[in-house]
Amino acid sequence: MALNGCSIWGCAKALQPATSTLSLNSKHDLGKCGKWRRCCSSVVNGVESSFQYADRVQVQITELDDGFHKDLNMLPKPLTANKFSSSRDGTKLCVAYKGLAGAYTEEAALKAYPKCETVPCDDFETSLQAVESGLVDKAVLPIESSEGGSIHHNYDLLLDHKLHIVGEVQLLINHCLLGLTGATKENLKFVLSHPQALVQCEMMLTDLAVTNIGVDDTAAAAKAVSLDGRRNIGAIASSRAAKLYGLHILAEGIQDDDNITRCLILARDPILPETNGSYKTSIVFSLQEGPGVLMKALEVFGLRNINLSKIESRPVKRYPVRLRDDSKYESIK
């Protein structure tokens, strides 16, 4: 079995027993969201120019739902890779995540550390850079889901950044269909969400016969609907996002199948395991090309009664798989 140019990931574990009036000040076109996968249709003509949301908004509240921010500008702004700033005093645990407030990755951070201060970031790499720079203490990184499998890009990020896995959290994803006060799911014409969320709720979206629009984050979809102000536009996001952005839950548990996302907790310093504890260890190694090389490597774990719960193969970018010299092979006629 040729393994040159691949890195092997292994997980090992020892065998042991409200109504609002919006004033929009600046606008952005959501038409650039594009077409996403099989359940996301293209935006019809005219929607690109008419469907807009605001970066800055003045909100007058007549009815206030629990958790709804009067001024959405008060929600924390995501960090970008070239603009790190912080007013933290170091007294509270800070955990970085990708997305806006109300994203599922933020829910994972709060499940792991209920009293932490969550710090939104533009992307996963920025969240890891925030840990490396000391701006935050930890970062949440989704690594696989029961619905979509491994998140290969995030596996590669683990190799690119010198951080340590210090924890793991599993989050049951419960998708909700959100809309403005007075909206009904039958009257929706457009639904926004992350492309994967749209795929995971395909059956309900097909029944509603709506146009699906992919955006970068489920929380961003909820925010856009809140700022747009039209009742025929909905979003798929979490119930927490509904509270943050003043939306109503039109339907809950709308995913086709149950989906559990496994997230890693990363920090600058490793955890030193105790001798009497039960721990999961993740390692990465590369192998030279040759027959039985992988079997010999895995045999080391079996001989020591160590159970491997997952194996993941990733290409080593510095040493890509060599191209075969086809000139050595004669074609069969």
Side-chain angles (χ1 to χ4, degrees):
M1 182 177 181
L3 288 172
N4 189 45
C6 291
S7 60
I8 310 298
W9 278 96
C11 282
K13 186 175 182 180
L15 292 177
Q16 299 181 9
T19 305
S20 62
T21 302
L22 304 180
S23 174
L24 306 184
N25 295 327
S26 63
K27 300 178 180 179
H28 292 270
D29 195 348
L30 282 187
K32 62 184 180 182
C33 296
K35 183 172 69 175
W36 289 92
R37 297 189 65 171
R38 56 192 172 96
C39 80
C40 305
S41 57
S42 299
V43 184
V44 295
N45 294 334
V47 175
E48 291 93 334
S49 59
S50 63
F51 182 46
Q52 300 171 325
Y53 70 100
D55 272 343
R56 297 182 294 120
V57 59
Q58 297 174 352
V59 186
Q60 297 175 350
I61 305 296
T62 56
E63 293 180 11
L64 189 61
D65 286 338
D66 182 32
F68 181 42
H69 281 252
K70 292 183 179 181
D71 186 354
L72 297 184
N73 287 318
M74 297 301 293
L75 291 172
K77 300 295 189 295
L79 293 175
T80 59
N82 58 359
K83 188 177 181 181
F84 279 177
S85 62
S86 175
S87 59
R88 61 173 298 201
D89 56 10
T91 60
K92 197 171 186 179
L93 179 71
C94 290
V95 181
Y97 67 95
K98 174 191 176 296
L100 299 179
Y104 286 111
T105 44
E106 186 188 29
E107 284 195 22
L110 292 172
K111 181 179 180 180
Y113 306 101
K115 297 182 179 181
C116 74
E117 177 183 344
T118 55
V119 180
C121 297
D122 262 357
D123 49 48
F124 291 121
E125 184 158 19
T126 301
S127 67
L128 302 189
Q129 291 173 351
V131 180
E132 290 176 322
S133 67
L135 180 63
V136 300
D137 302 297
K138 293 177 172 63
V140 174
L141 186 70
I143 203 69
E144 69 173 334
S145 73
S146 59
E147 181 77 13
S150 298
I151 305 174
H152 294 138
H153 173 68
N154 289 353
Y155 270 102
D156 295 338
L157 287 179
L158 292 175
L159 296 177
D160 296 336
H161 296 270
K162 304 302 181 182
L163 298 175
H164 300 273
I165 301 173
V166 297
E168 176 180 311
V169 59
Q170 295 186 1
L171 184 68
L172 178 63
I173 304 300
N174 182 37
H175 289 308
C176 301
L177 182 63
L178 311 180
L180 295 173
T181 302
T184 62
K185 64 179 183 179
E186 292 79 12
N187 292 332
L188 294 179
K189 300 298 181 184
F190 309 97
V191 172
L192 283 71
S193 195
H194 188 279
Q196 288 186 357
L198 294 173
V199 171
Q200 292 166 6
C201 304
E202 183 176 6
M203 292 178 61
M204 186 209 67
L205 293 173
T206 301
D207 291 340
L208 294 179
V210 294
T211 299
N212 306 327
I213 303 176
V215 296
D216 187 56
D217 179 31
T218 55
K223 180 180 179 180
V225 171
S226 177
L227 299 183
D228 181 84
R230 283 181 284 171
R231 293 185 176 88
N232 65 345
I233 301 173
I236 294 176
S238 66
S239 58
R240 184 169 184 271
K243 291 183 179 180
L244 286 175
Y245 300 107
L247 299 177
H248 287 256
I249 298 177
L250 308 181
E252 191 171 2
I254 60 174
Q255 60 273 5
D256 298 344
D257 301 292
D258 289 338
N259 178 29
I260 297 176
T261 297
R262 184 168 71 94
C263 301
L264 302 179
I265 309 296
L266 303 175
R268 290 182 297 277
D269 300 318
I271 286 181
L272 299 179
E274 300 177 359
T275 56
N276 59 349
S278 179
Y279 296 90
K280 180 184 290 186
T281 302
S282 297
I283 63 174
V284 59
F285 58 90
S286 60
L287 299 171
Q288 295 296 323
E289 182 178 354
V293 174
L294 178 60
M295 181 195 71
K296 294 174 183 177
L298 299 181
E299 192 175 37
V300 173
F301 299 98
L303 292 175
R304 290 160 177 80
N305 200 33
I306 297 175
N307 180 40
L308 292 179
S309 60
K310 183 177 177 63
I311 301 176
E312 186 76 30
S313 178
R314 299 297 301 143
V316 179
K317 296 179 181 179
R318 295 189 302 274
Y319 305 100
V321 177
R322 295 190 298 270
L323 291 175
R324 188 181 70 177
D325 185 2
D326 291 331
S327 63
K328 296 181 181 179
Y329 300 88
E330 294 183 0
S331 60
I332 299 177
K333 298 181 180 179

